[in-house]
Amino acid sequence: MHARRPLAAAASAALLLTAVAAGTAAADPAPDSPAPAASPGQYRVAGPDSAPERTEVAATGAAIDEVGDDSVVVTALPRQADAVADLGYEVTPLPGPEQEGPGTLDFPPSDSGYHDYDELTDVVDKVVADNPDLAAKVGVGSSYEGRDLMAVKITSDVGTDHDRPEVLFTHSQHAREHLTVEMAVYLLRMLTEDYGTDPRVTEMVDTREIWILPNVNPDGSEHDIAGGSYKSWRKNRQPAPGGWAVGTDLNRNWDYNWGCCGGSSGSPWSQTYRGTAPESAPEVRQVADFVRSRVVGGEQQITAAIDFHTYGELILWPYGYTYDETGPGMSRDEYDTHAELGRLMAGSNGYTPQQSSDLYVTDGTINDWLWGEQRIFNYTFEMYPSGSGGGGFYPGDEIIDRETDRNREAVLDLLGYADCPYRVIDKEDQYC
Ligand code: 0X9
Ligand code: CA
Ligand code: ZN
């Protein structure tokens, strides 16, 4: 495929050597070049059939959305798609999301089942108002554009900091992954409405302290739906130095082996831009501060976590920065506990369980930080659909109920093991 290259790309050729030395993808212009007219789109890339080849594709600044046996689907700017083609792969543009009329700030009418930020806030406020003993809204800070980063704490006698295992659910690091916000709405309702009637829910709400962060990237979510057309936006909305490029990939900005391993980009134009420093995104810094605030008496209270994404129907565990299963900070038992609990959860939702780097290498992800720095057993869930045929990042709202309820058992399993994750490999006596 050979689309026209923007003039800015030619101008950046002179900077190629410095750019490469700084770890910047050769496909991208300098950060102070004017904004490209083109917006990102999805492409099918035929050829890559191993994690190293997929990691090389990602190094162009494209984001890998989907992994097949010998192909991937990426989101990329046109020049990044050119760079992928230059690697020798066949690159075909995919049709974009359906567009509806201009002028709306909410989801298009046909997707009205999805919650925009105001509607999400209303759900949170109602859940808290209806269940004052079970649910409390806690401020985590605010986004780059000043929106509240909300957390909801759910446990019985919620006003007390109990000595109960704490569990974290984070949603919507990536703007266009709107189904993950619906997963948060589902969990908020399930844990409050089914308390007292569903014995498993009741036990978990009585014995765990549950933290739900229903949207850690509200600016990105709102941008993605503004104007009545989906924009395939992934990152936050913080301008990069230089002033033209916008957005840090929150899931490359965490402070563990940040930028170590070719699993993120130093170019602000990239879909996987890692930011200027670990936690340079205000959203990441404040969510990380929140997690650190759960260290009480020297002990991290949170023992287990899920970070929800779409799409692919996958359950992924750390590390993402290395292909190795074990190594410094990840013993055999720790790896096996992640893997066994991951497989157990996959048994109920039908997702594919694997180490995250089986797909491609990533660095600076929340998964690696939660384990590497905080010793929290944790997973990325890539929700519905399994492939772009199911609507990719924009499945219709009729799938929300089915695809959120699909994770009910898996979430209850994680909550159930949160007192001693090692029990899943029968090593409770040794570790707990
Ligand atoms: O790339 C990501 O941040 C996640 N995928 S997404 O399509 N939702 O952007 C996956 C993170 C898990 N880590 C690895 N796959 N290595
Ligand atoms: Ca506690
Ligand atoms: Zn994602």
Side-chain angles (χ1 to χ4, degrees), residues 220-274:
S221 303
E222 289 292 281
H223 176 71
D224 191 52
I225 62 173
S229 63
Y230 293 127
K231 297 181 188 62
S232 293
W233 192 257
R234 170 181 172 93
K235 302 187 282 180
N236 75 352
R237 292 296 298 164
Q238 175 184 22
W244 286 99
V246 174
T248 293
D249 183 347
L250 299 185
N251 207 25
R252 300 293 183 277
N253 190 236
W254 296 81
D255 193 7
Y256 181 78
N257 285 348
W258 178 80
C260 70
C261 302
S264 61
S265 172
S267 164
W269 299 109
S270 169
Q271 298 296 315
T272 54
Y273 176 49
R274 67 177 80 98

Side-chain angles (χ1 to χ4, degrees), residues 410-425:
V411 164
L412 288 169
D413 282 337
L414 185 87
L415 290 168
Y417 279 99
D419 62 323
C420 181
Y422 295 99
R423 189 165 64 244
V424 79
I425 58 164

Side-chain angles (χ1 to χ4, degrees), residues 64 174 177 234 251-252 309-310 316 320 356-357 359-360 362 380 382:
I64 297 193
H174 291 143
E177 300 172 9
R234 170 181 172 93
N251 207 25
R252 300 293 183 277
H309 289 253
T310 71
L316 308 173
S356 64
S357 59
L359 295 174
Y360 49 93
T362 52
T380 290
E382 296 278 4

Side-chain angles (χ1 to χ4, degrees), residues 138-398:
V138 176
V140 164
S142 48
S143 66
Y144 177 78
E145 292 178 345
R147 294 184 176 87
D148 266 350
L149 299 175
M150 301 174 269
V152 183
K153 180 186 178 187
I154 299 185
T155 196
S156 53
D157 183 23
V158 70
T160 304
D161 185 1
H162 300 271
D163 185 14
R164 300 173 178 168
E166 300 187 14
V167 178
L168 176 71
F169 298 103
T170 49
H171 303 254
S172 194
Q173 282 204 84
H174 291 143
R176 61 191 168 182
E177 300 172 9
H178 302 285
L179 185 58
T180 67
V181 172
E182 303 312 311
M183 190 67 223
V185 169
Y186 175 88
L187 292 178
L188 291 168
R189 290 180 174 156
M190 167 185 113
L191 293 168
T192 53
E193 290 173 7
D194 297 350
Y195 179 78
T197 53
D198 179 317
R200 258 182 108 193
V201 169
T202 309
E203 189 194 342
M204 290 306 129
V205 170
D206 282 338
T207 61
R208 277 82 177 110
E209 294 176 291
I210 302 161
W211 299 100
I212 297 172
L213 276 62
N215 191 344
V216 300
N217 183 12
D219 301 349
S221 303
E222 289 292 281
H223 176 71
D224 191 52
I225 62 173
S229 63
Y230 293 127
K231 297 181 188 62
S232 293
W233 192 257
R234 170 181 172 93
K235 302 187 282 180
N236 75 352
R237 292 296 298 164
Q238 175 184 22
W244 286 99
V246 174
T248 293
D249 183 347
L250 299 185
N251 207 25
R252 300 293 183 277
N253 190 236
W254 296 81
D255 193 7
Y256 181 78
N257 285 348
W258 178 80
C260 70
C261 302
S264 61
S265 172
S267 164
W269 299 109
S270 169
Q271 298 296 315
T272 54
Y273 176 49
R274 67 177 80 98
T276 52
E279 301 183 10
S280 59
E283 296 85 359
V284 170
R285 185 174 50 77
Q286 292 167 107
V287 174
D289 281 345
F290 167 75
V291 173
R292 285 186 283 258
S293 80
R294 299 317 305 148
V295 176
V296 178
E299 201 182 334
Q300 175 56 260
Q301 301 297 296
I302 302 171
T303 60
I306 297 174
D307 184 44
F308 285 95
H309 289 253
T310 71
Y311 58 95
E313 301 185 1
L314 305 166
I315 294 181
L316 308 173
W317 55 81
Y319 283 122
Y321 80 88
T322 172
Y323 296 121
D324 295 342
E325 294 186 348
T326 62
M330 180 72 86
S331 70
R332 175 47 56 186
D333 281 350
E334 290 160 352
Y335 182 88
D336 288 347
T337 299
H338 274 105
E340 265 315 297
L341 185 50
R343 289 184 196 112
L344 178 83
M345 293 189 288
S348 64
N349 67 10
Y351 291 4
T352 302
Q354 56 189 344
Q355 186 178 345
S356 64
S357 59
D358 288 356
L359 295 174
Y360 49 93
V361 165
T362 52
D363 47 48
T365 65
I366 191 174
N367 291 113
D368 285 6
W369 182 79
L370 283 174
W371 180 255
E373 288 292 331
Q374 301 294 321
R375 316 298 290 174
I376 295 169
F377 285 92
N378 80 96
Y379 300 87
T380 290
F381 274 30
E382 296 278 4
M383 295 178 67
Y384 178 89
S386 59
S388 50
F393 293 108
Y394 301 102
D397 63 1
E398 69 281 356

